[in-house]
Amino acid sequence: MIPVRGVDGQTIAVLGLGRSGMTAAKALREGGATVLVWDDNDAAREGAETEGFEVRQFTKQGAFDDVDLLIVSPGIPHLYPTPNKVIAAAMAAMVPVDNDIGLFFRSLALDGWEELDTPPRVVAVTGSNGKSTTSALIHHILTNAGKPAQLAGNIGRGVLDIDPPEDGEVIVLELSSYQTDLARALTPDIAVFTNLSPDHLDRHGGLGGYFAAKRRLFAEGGPDRAVVGVDEPEGLYLANQLSTGPSDDRVIRISSGQKLSGPGWFVFARKGFLTEWRKGRQVTSIDLREVAGLPGAHNHQNACAAYSVCRSLGLAPRVIEEGFKTYGGLPHRSQVLGEKDGVKFVNDSKATNVDAAAKALGAFPKVRWICGGLEKEGGLGGLTDQFGHVVKAYVIGREAAEFALKLDGVDKEICTTMEVAVAKAAAEAEAGEVVLLAPACASFDQYNSFEKRGEDFAAQVAKVLS
């Protein structure tokens, strides 16, 4: 655990007692603070009391009179669409609001670091799609190369729950917009922006607010190096804002599909090959086409981001390539579940928005597509360019019929449930085709999470493969 610094003798409130909230409460107490907690869930409050924390209802008059700071769990809205009542009360009482990410960055530099040969470094990854894969891939490459590393944040452990880092260790953090939006301290050594597509728009008051939340990772403290995907206007803008000119190699521009060149530092993937270009010349090229854990152009962008980070950390290209080849992928993200009679089954339940689903469809030439769920804002326009890959769509979800109406020009069948969709897709699929779960929707109409949806898909596929 990382004890929180600078809180000894303070009274600090914690709102939300999930994984990050409870870890923050414990780390604050470890740092000498008196910790008060609240969660709307009765069981969560009871659990906190068992851990020795005082429970306080913060919406009562005067509840913040003795409080120095409020720490908020990432899922709780503080501005849009409406501020949570507790957060609104804290702001009215002029109590500063932060989250566990802010606490982490202000507390990581522990006593004794001046004696280390190589101080630990932090890599923080944000963006709309590919954050988890990029973070996990960086961590895998480092550990495969024998480098000490820990994975935390929106993936793995809570940021304050990690072990105090050792000499030369790298902390890899996946950070969502919910986490970067509120953190008062954001000072990674290397920051990564993968891409941007419409998501969580209600939470951020629109696309501009969503991008602004991501941009804070680069603006609040300023990383020593930034790795920026430039395939969208926002990434191109961000790279321009961070760079002092064409030769500024503190910014590594990455792309999936574009050839990038010039006097700066570029890493791009085209036609299945990753290329590093620096100071006007090609440094290396890596064939990604047979890397089983990174199928498709979207994963090639993730590879470019991970490669750029690891090169910044001093790893040789061939060492990184070895890490690519042994990377097995993450569950629910382009996860190959198996193959039968020439038909491959792929679980991309994490494709919860249109952009992610489009990239998943684009990774395979002939797809039996399982899609649908709780549709997000913005419509399905971003999918139409990939409909040529779809042999047939099998639509699930409570609003399956309405979703199916929007799939113009696509052969489709309303299945509603995962069991029916997988059974029909498997029965109709031919050799060389892929049965792909890439819903383009949130899961909450039928499942508690995208993980549960992916697990159901995997269970139904297992019946087919048995």
Side-chain angles (χ1 to χ4, degrees):
M1 177 168 285
I2 305 296
V4 178
R5 287 173 167 261
V7 297
D8 188 25
Q10 294 186 5
T11 299
I12 299 181
V14 175
L15 176 63
L17 298 173
R19 182 189 66 166
S20 65
M22 277 304 298
T23 301
K26 293 175 181 178
L28 286 162
R29 184 166 62 186
E30 192 75 14
T34 298
V35 183
L36 313 173
V37 301
W38 180 261
D39 193 293
D40 290 339
N41 183 277
D42 293 341
R45 295 197 303 272
E46 291 171 6
E49 286 183 318
T50 301
E51 294 277 357
F53 293 104
E54 179 184 341
V55 173
R56 179 183 290 186
Q57 170 56 275
F58 296 117
T59 55
K60 292 183 178 179
Q61 185 70 29
F64 282 103
D65 287 351
D66 61 342
V67 173
D68 298 295
L69 177 68
L70 172 64
I71 300 301
V72 178
S73 292
I76 302 173
H78 58 274
L79 187 56
Y80 303 114
T82 304
N84 177 275
K85 291 181 180 179
V86 172
I87 299 175
M91 291 182 175
M94 293 178 284
V95 172
V97 181
D98 203 350
N99 62 15
D100 63 326
I101 305 301
L103 296 179
F104 168 83
F105 277 111
R106 84 186 211 187
S107 305
L108 182 62
L110 304 175
D111 294 334
W113 274 29
E114 66 278 359
E115 300 174 7
L116 300 178
D117 291 333
T118 305
R121 284 172 285 184
V122 177
V123 176
V125 181
T126 195
S128 295
N129 301 305
K131 298 185 299 296
S132 296
T133 296
T134 298
S135 301
L137 183 56
I138 294 166
H139 179 260
H140 172 79
I141 294 168
L142 291 169
T143 55
N144 192 66
K147 307 293 184 182
Q150 295 185 67
L151 182 63
N154 206 42
I155 185 174
R157 301 162 72 177
V159 291
L160 293 169
D161 192 39
I162 67 170
D163 300 323
E166 61 183 75
D167 196 329
E169 188 160 14
V170 179
I171 309 302
V172 185
L173 304 181
E174 179 198 341
L175 298 181
S176 72
S177 58
Y178 290 6
Q179 293 169 308
T180 58
D181 198 17
L182 194 60
R184 286 174 168 254
L186 287 167
T187 54
D189 297 281
I190 303 172
V192 180
F193 177 85
T194 58
N195 50 58
L196 195 84
S197 62
D199 208 354
H200 310 303
L201 300 187
D202 58 338
R203 174 64 182 266
H204 296 293
L207 187 61
Y210 178 48
F211 175 55
K214 301 287 189 186
R215 186 178 179 275
R216 291 188 78 247
L217 182 61
F218 302 83
E220 291 303 302
D224 295 332
R225 175 155 284 128
V227 176
V228 181
V230 295
D231 289 334
E232 295 87 28
E234 292 86 358
L236 199 62
Y237 166 83
L238 179 61
N240 183 272
Q241 288 280 296
L242 297 171
S243 174
T244 59
S247 300
D248 187 355
D249 67 2
R250 294 173 304 166
V251 179
I252 305 177
R253 292 167 171 83
I254 65 170
S255 172
S256 177
Q258 299 184 66
K259 179 179 179 180
L260 305 176
S261 62
W265 197 349
F266 309 94
V267 178
F268 57 90
R270 293 181 74 227
K271 300 180 179 179
F273 286 85
L274 179 151
T275 299
E276 179 185 1
W277 189 277
R278 192 173 187 185
K279 296 181 179 178
R281 64 182 184 88
Q282 180 175 311
V283 176
T284 194
S285 179
I286 297 174
D287 188 349
L288 299 174
R289 293 173 298 177
E290 301 303 318
V291 179
L294 297 168
H298 59 307
N299 276 309
H300 293 175
Q301 184 192 52
N302 300 333
C304 289
Y307 178 94
S308 300
V309 168
C310 292
R311 287 288 283 146
S312 298
L313 293 170
L315 271 64
R318 294 307 163 204
V319 172
I320 301 172
E321 183 177 7
E322 290 172 9
F324 286 161
K325 292 178 178 178
T326 56
Y327 178 67
L330 287 174
H332 317 299
R333 298 162 176 88
S334 300
Q335 178 189 16
V336 178
L337 298 177
E339 187 172 330
K340 184 176 183 179
D341 299 329
V343 177
K344 189 178 294 184
F345 295 83
V346 178
N347 171 17
D348 204 338
S349 184
K350 185 60 172 67
T352 59
N353 60 46
V354 165
D355 185 65
K359 289 175 178 175
L361 289 172
F364 307 103
K366 294 183 178 181
V367 177
R368 300 277 174 173
W369 179 32
I370 298 176
C371 56
L374 187 63
E375 192 176 344
K376 296 185 176 181
E377 294 181 30
L380 304 181
L383 285 167
T384 54
D385 287 348
Q386 303 301 334
F387 282 171
H389 294 248
V390 179
V391 178
K392 185 176 178 179
Y394 304 81
V395 187
I396 63 172
R398 293 179 185 171
E399 305 297 330
E402 183 178 343
F403 188 90
L405 288 173
K406 300 176 183 178
L407 302 178
D408 293 334
V410 176
D411 185 18
K412 50 194 172 279
E413 184 169 349
I414 297 168
C415 299
T416 306
T417 68
M418 187 72 73
E419 182 179 16
V420 172
V422 172
K424 291 196 172 185
E428 296 175 359
E430 300 178 358
E433 295 178 349
V434 172
V435 175
L436 170 69
L437 172 65
C441 294
S443 61
F444 303 120
D445 61 330
Q446 290 182 310
Y447 303 92
N448 291 331
S449 65
F450 74 83
E451 291 96 341
K452 292 297 183 185
R453 178 173 58 192
E455 288 166 9
D456 190 11
F457 176 70
Q460 302 308 322
V461 169
K463 296 177 184 178
V464 175
L465 298 177
S466 63

